């Protein structure tokens, strides 16, 4: 499922379209003897918009993109979006 969230990056408001899966803990054993290995947290950014316009994928360098991912995760967790 795709969600959108607004973040502020370097003083500019960006709209981030993303998919998010929170971490799921490992379950060693269910009553039937099976288990579940769990999964790590997952965030995929699909689009980044500035003033309604979609920015090209190569608009941000790797360091900036990582910072946008971190800000997006922080905002998701602080407001409970997509959880």
């Amino acid at each position: 499922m795709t969600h959108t969230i607004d973040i502020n990056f370097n003083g500019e408001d960006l709209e981030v379209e993303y998919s998010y899966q929170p971490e799921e803990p490992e379950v060693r054993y269910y009553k039937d003897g099976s288990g579940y290995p769990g999964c790590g947290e997952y965030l995929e950014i699909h689009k980044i918009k500035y003033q309604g316009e979609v920015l090209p994928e190569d608009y941000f360098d790797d360091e900036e993109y990582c910072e946008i991912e971190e800000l997006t995760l922080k905002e998701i967790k602080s407001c409970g979006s997509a959880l």
Side-chain angles (χ1 to χ4, degrees):
M1 177 181 255
T2 303
H3 305 276
T4 59
I5 199 162
D6 296 323
I7 63 167
N8 187 286
F9 177 69
N10 292 339
E12 301 293 340
D13 293 326
L14 302 177
E15 181 181 317
V16 179
E17 184 178 300
Y18 66 93
S19 297
Y20 175 72
Q21 172 66 45
E23 180 180 26
E24 295 179 351
E26 174 185 13
V27 176
R28 291 202 181 253
Y29 301 105
Y30 286 111
K31 290 180 182 183
D32 67 359
S34 66
Y36 176 65
C39 71
E41 182 175 62
Y42 173 78
L43 172 71
E44 179 181 358
I45 293 178
H46 303 288
K47 294 179 191 173
I48 300 173
K49 292 182 181 181
Y50 176 68
Q51 296 182 347
E53 298 292 322
V54 177
L55 298 174
E57 287 185 24
D58 61 351
Y59 187 82
F60 299 102
D61 64 31
D62 290 342
E63 187 175 315
E64 291 172 323
Y65 194 82
C66 286
E67 189 175 341
I68 289 169
E69 285 180 331
E70 289 173 15
L71 289 169
T72 301
L73 276 173
K74 183 177 178 181
E75 189 66 26
I76 289 168
K77 291 175 181 180
S78 73
C79 69
S81 296
L83 296 177

